[in-house]
Amino acid sequence: MFCFQCQETVGCKGCTNGGVCGKKPRTANLQDLLVYASRGLSEVTTRLREEETDVERAVNHLVTDNLFTTITNANFDDEAIIDKIQKTVDTTKKLRSELKNQSGLTEAALWNGDGDWDEKASQVGVLVTENEDIRSLRELITYGLKGMAAYLFHAEAYGQIFPEIERFMQEALAKTRDDSLSVDDLVALTLETGKIGVDAMAALDGANTAAYGNPEITSVPIGVGKNPGILISGHDLHDLEMLLEQTQGTGVDVYTHSEMLPGHYYPAFKKYSNFVGNYGNAWWKQKEEFDTFNGPILFTSNCIVPPKDSCKGRIYTSGASGFPGCKHIPEDENGKKDFSEIIEHAKKCQPPVEIETGEIVGGFAHSQVIALADKIVDAVKSGAIKKFVVMAGCDGRMKSRSYYTEFAEALPKDAVILTAGCAKYRYNKLNLGDIGGIPRVLDAGQCNDSYSLAVIAMKLQEVFGLDDINDLPIIYNIAWYEQKAVIVLLALLSLGVKNIHLGPTLPAFLSPNVTKVLVDNFGIAGITTVEDDMKAFFA
Ligand code: SF4
Ligand code: SF3
């Protein structure tokens, strides 16, 4: 195996002997094979579209699901991955026969699933591309597409489809092994990926808010109630809705974990009296938190930490997520999921043990912030707010991430943090106060709600009559971990945002030359120490 797609990769180089995330070498190889098969299918669908043949919804969904399956910490289940490879190969074979022009297809598009899969898998990974700059750009694009696929998957859970985004994703994926593309072509494709990433985040924002209303200021309790509970994690709000519906009148409470916290901010979920609060912190603390939670846990996406054997029986997965030995709840032909087994399971469990008390405040997505625009603009004009600091992104287990807590604490009192994603758990319980009633940590929501932060920045640019978004008093100090953060980063670059600081370390998949392109054109930089960064940012 060779995997370097996330921030925690071994030695900031690559995992070769099992992942820090717990991914076994065989799983890593099978994921590579799934990406390979998806690329082959994408080449065929791209050609079909060129020949003006429509591509069915199920085929588009398959590619999206496959890419989502391979993001960090989403799916560790070899059997599930093997099924997806088989389905992909069968679909490619069928669609290939519909092509008018079948010449010049790559090996991936021609692969019929023959040969030994484990052997094949070890020959189709990242290192197949020898030139390190081409490899770097190909992987940067692929990881952006994986993040985009995750967002699109959730957006399409409501029945609406986004054919233009699907078309782009497949065309771009096919191009990641097109030897005729130069470094410049790939740089252009990287930016295009960011541009379509904005569309994917907007699609998800539109789908979520159409279904559940616009997030609004909300205090979310972090203590516990007296009933047994189900803990729901991940990013799929549609699953949250189904779980809340199905738990009504059962005596079972529902708690959010990690990236599901922003579920509380949506008006539509406030009517459920058993929707008690948020339990715990970011994904990487789940082992201990699941012990004390006592009840079953539903993962609707990443990030899964391989559970202890004693906890496995309480873990369920849905959507693209999976873990061997944990029950996967499938979706029926109408997109419905039956969570009754989890509810019955919860009834037999003890209520959660309280690990903290109090509440956290969030719900500052674009609509809520724009509703407060007058107040915010006045605060900026009067000098009460001097800077906004975007600290969105992911949290992770590395010790060095205490930087983000210390950075938040060290910020001048006239700076406001704009956040989204699970990065917020590093500082959202610090009690940083407010500025004239505006909290100093404005949480827009999940990582995909970084879209809201971009909308807010564009709104401020308009209100202040600025020509360039970079003239706003905003600093970007973003923490990344997995591939959704990659699409968020590419999306911000495509919107013209410059001077983003990315940490705790720069991606291992960026070669020195590709890093130079990002530094020269976009001012991308890493982080140093809190002290030095404070001096540099507030010079
Ligand atoms: Fe390593 Fe990250 Fe890949 Fe897991 S996802 S194998 S930790 S690089
Ligand atoms: Fe977190 Fe995985 Fe990225 Fe969605 S849950 S931000 S790390």
Side-chain angles (χ1 to χ4, degrees), residues 113-157:
D114 41 280
D116 179 80
W117 282 19
D118 287 305
E119 203 183 312
K120 176 96 184 158
S122 67
Q123 296 159 359
V124 298
V126 172
L127 299 176
V128 163
T129 306
E130 282 170 14
N131 178 301
E132 80 166 345
D133 298 326
I134 301 271
R135 182 199 302 151
S136 175
L137 288 163
R138 285 176 168 182
E139 294 312 310
L140 175 58
I141 294 163
T142 304
Y143 304 151
L145 294 173
K146 288 183 181 194
M148 194 190 301
Y151 293 156
L152 191 68
F153 185 97
H154 296 310
E156 293 191 338

Side-chain angles (χ1 to χ4, degrees), residues 320-349:
S321 69
F323 198 89
C326 298
K327 176 96 190 249
H328 187 80
I329 307 291
E331 150 183 301
D332 71 14
E333 57 283 2
N334 302 313
K336 293 276 169 290
K337 292 173 192 172
D338 178 2
F339 295 128
S340 54
E341 186 178 338
I342 311 181
I343 297 167
E344 288 313 308
H345 189 158
K347 287 180 184 167
K348 295 186 211 112
C349 297

Side-chain angles (χ1 to χ4, degrees), residues 84-375:
K84 291 176 199 233
I85 297 170
Q86 189 64 57
K87 211 166 153 193
T88 308
V89 167
D90 293 344
T91 308
T92 307
K93 208 161 147 185
K94 178 177 163 282
L95 292 185
R96 214 172 41 222
S97 68
E98 292 173 21
L99 281 175
K100 293 184 197 115
N101 171 16
Q102 299 189 11
S103 68
L105 290 169
T106 66
E107 214 182 87
L110 293 169
W111 185 50
N112 274 333
D114 41 280
D116 179 80
W117 282 19
D118 287 305
E119 203 183 312
K120 176 96 184 158
S122 67
Q123 296 159 359
V124 298
V126 172
L127 299 176
V128 163
T129 306
E130 282 170 14
N131 178 301
E132 80 166 345
D133 298 326
I134 301 271
R135 182 199 302 151
S136 175
L137 288 163
R138 285 176 168 182
E139 294 312 310
L140 175 58
I141 294 163
T142 304
Y143 304 151
L145 294 173
K146 288 183 181 194
M148 194 190 301
Y151 293 156
L152 191 68
F153 185 97
H154 296 310
E156 293 191 338
Y158 304 93
Q160 202 189 339
I161 51 165
F162 301 90
E164 265 313 297
I165 301 177
E166 283 157 344
R167 182 200 61 72
F168 172 80
M169 278 175 37
Q170 292 162 30
E171 191 183 313
L173 185 63
K175 283 182 178 168
T176 58
R177 288 294 183 276
D178 180 342
D179 291 328
S180 71
L181 297 190
S182 65
V183 164
D184 286 348
D185 295 333
L186 289 168
V187 169
L189 185 59
T190 306
L191 287 184
E192 176 84 0
T193 304
K195 186 168 162 276
I196 308 297
V198 177
D199 297 344
M201 281 189 266
L204 179 51
D205 178 72
N208 284 338
T209 54
Y212 311 123
N214 274 302
E216 54 192 21
I217 306 179
T218 307
S219 292
V220 182
I222 54 177
V224 299
K226 293 200 165 49
N227 296 329
I230 297 172
L231 191 57
I232 177 168
S233 194
H235 303 70
D236 201 307
L237 296 178
H238 192 233
D239 279 2
L240 173 63
E241 181 189 19
M242 287 187 272
L243 183 66
L244 286 168
E245 276 298 321
Q246 293 174 36
T247 48
Q248 292 316 294
T250 62
V252 171
D253 288 340
V254 174
Y255 294 79
T256 53
H257 184 257
S258 191
E259 273 288 73
M260 199 54 93
L261 157 68
H264 293 277
Y265 309 157
Y266 289 84
F269 297 134
K270 293 190 172 152
K271 64 175 181 271
Y272 300 105
S273 59
N274 67 329
F275 193 27
V276 173
N278 188 68
Y279 192 83
N281 293 280
W283 63 273
W284 60 278
K285 287 196 176 163
Q286 63 189 250
K287 269 194 182 165
E288 56 235 67
E289 290 170 358
F290 290 179
D291 267 349
T292 52
F293 184 75
N294 288 330
I297 299 112
L298 171 63
F299 273 102
T300 66
S301 70
N302 59 326
C303 281
I304 303 177
V305 176
K308 301 179 201 164
D309 284 340
S310 59
C311 189
K312 252 188 199 167
R314 279 196 284 130
I315 292 184
Y316 296 81
T317 60
S318 69
S321 69
F323 198 89
C326 298
K327 176 96 190 249
H328 187 80
I329 307 291
E331 150 183 301
D332 71 14
E333 57 283 2
N334 302 313
K336 293 276 169 290
K337 292 173 192 172
D338 178 2
F339 295 128
S340 54
E341 186 178 338
I342 311 181
I343 297 167
E344 288 313 308
H345 189 158
K347 287 180 184 167
K348 295 186 211 112
C349 297
Q350 291 296 315
V353 174
E354 194 153 78
I355 51 174
E356 52 193 348
T357 54
E359 43 193 33
I360 35 186
V361 178
F364 297 93
H366 55 84
S367 156
Q368 179 66 84
V369 174
I370 287 166
L372 293 171
D374 288 348
K375 215 173 163 182

